[in-house]
Amino acid sequence: MDRLRNSAWQYVAEVLHSEELPMLAAHALVEGHDSPALRELAGLQRRRDASEVRGLYVQALHELDVPLPDDETAGRCLLVSLAFGLTGGELSPREVADRLGMTVTARTEEEARFLSVAADYSEWLGPEHLPEWERDLRTAAHSLAASTDLAPGIGRPDLRAT
């Protein structure tokens, strides 16, 4: 169920796209989860109407009692996921900054610091300032990863480019 619970926050945070949902459903079926909407979603082609795919996905989550988080929770999960991605070497500092596409409300000091440093990135950041920014972002990521109350429920998302 972790895959489905993780997909719920990723969906709300808009890092999980509709074309990925049929394969996600197929994996969930293989893992032993089952519902009518999940079976139908797993059988859809990747290039189906996005609104139909999203509707089936939300219905499948409902049938499996997997709640969709609110925007704030999804945003916080995104922050934590990016922090883990950076500390684990799966993401570069620039990739972290590029993936903060949604508005995120930080609840903790560590989340606020990580978000603030990530938001300081700009393509106009000079080469003399880039190493300091990267160091500050890594420090903030380590602090967030070590302190978060969301970590057990986050898991490692698929970190493909979004």
Side-chain angles (χ1 to χ4, degrees), residues 16-29 38-49 53-54 56-57:
L16 181 63
H17 303 282
S18 61
E19 62 269 8
E20 298 173 76
L21 296 175
M23 186 58 72
L24 175 79
H27 284 291
L29 287 170
L38 190 67
R39 285 190 301 264
E40 187 175 347
L41 179 58
L44 291 180
Q45 299 293 329
R46 286 177 56 98
R47 300 289 185 232
R48 288 295 286 248
D49 177 58
V53 172
R54 288 190 301 269
L56 279 172
Y57 171 74

Side-chain angles (χ1 to χ4, degrees), residues 17-155:
H17 303 282
S18 61
E19 62 269 8
E20 298 173 76
L21 296 175
M23 186 58 72
L24 175 79
H27 284 291
L29 287 170
V30 169
E31 293 170 355
H33 307 291
D34 193 16
S35 83
L38 190 67
R39 285 190 301 264
E40 187 175 347
L41 179 58
L44 291 180
Q45 299 293 329
R46 286 177 56 98
R47 300 289 185 232
R48 288 295 286 248
D49 177 58
S51 62
E52 176 187 6
V53 172
R54 288 190 301 269
L56 279 172
Y57 171 74
V58 171
Q59 182 180 343
L61 291 181
H62 177 73
E63 290 171 358
L64 295 166
D65 294 322
V66 176
L68 281 171
D70 58 40
D71 287 344
E72 179 182 324
T73 302
R76 291 181 66 220
C77 289
L78 175 61
L79 280 181
V80 170
S81 172
L82 292 172
F84 279 122
L86 182 59
T87 61
E90 293 137 354
L91 293 173
S92 71
R94 181 167 179 180
E95 288 172 319
V96 168
D98 289 345
R99 292 178 188 208
L100 279 173
M102 73 177 294
T103 302
V104 177
T105 301
R107 283 194 148 198
T108 68
E109 184 179 319
E110 291 83 7
E111 289 171 359
R113 176 72 180 142
F114 181 73
L115 182 58
S116 174
V117 173
D120 282 344
Y121 177 77
S122 163
E123 63 184 47
W124 306 109
L125 194 62
E128 68 277 6
H129 300 293
L130 196 57
E132 180 182 357
W133 173 78
E134 289 180 350
R135 185 177 56 252
D136 289 349
L137 186 62
R138 289 182 197 285
T139 300
H142 282 285
S143 178
L144 176 54
S147 69
T148 187
D149 59 343
L150 296 174
I154 295 293

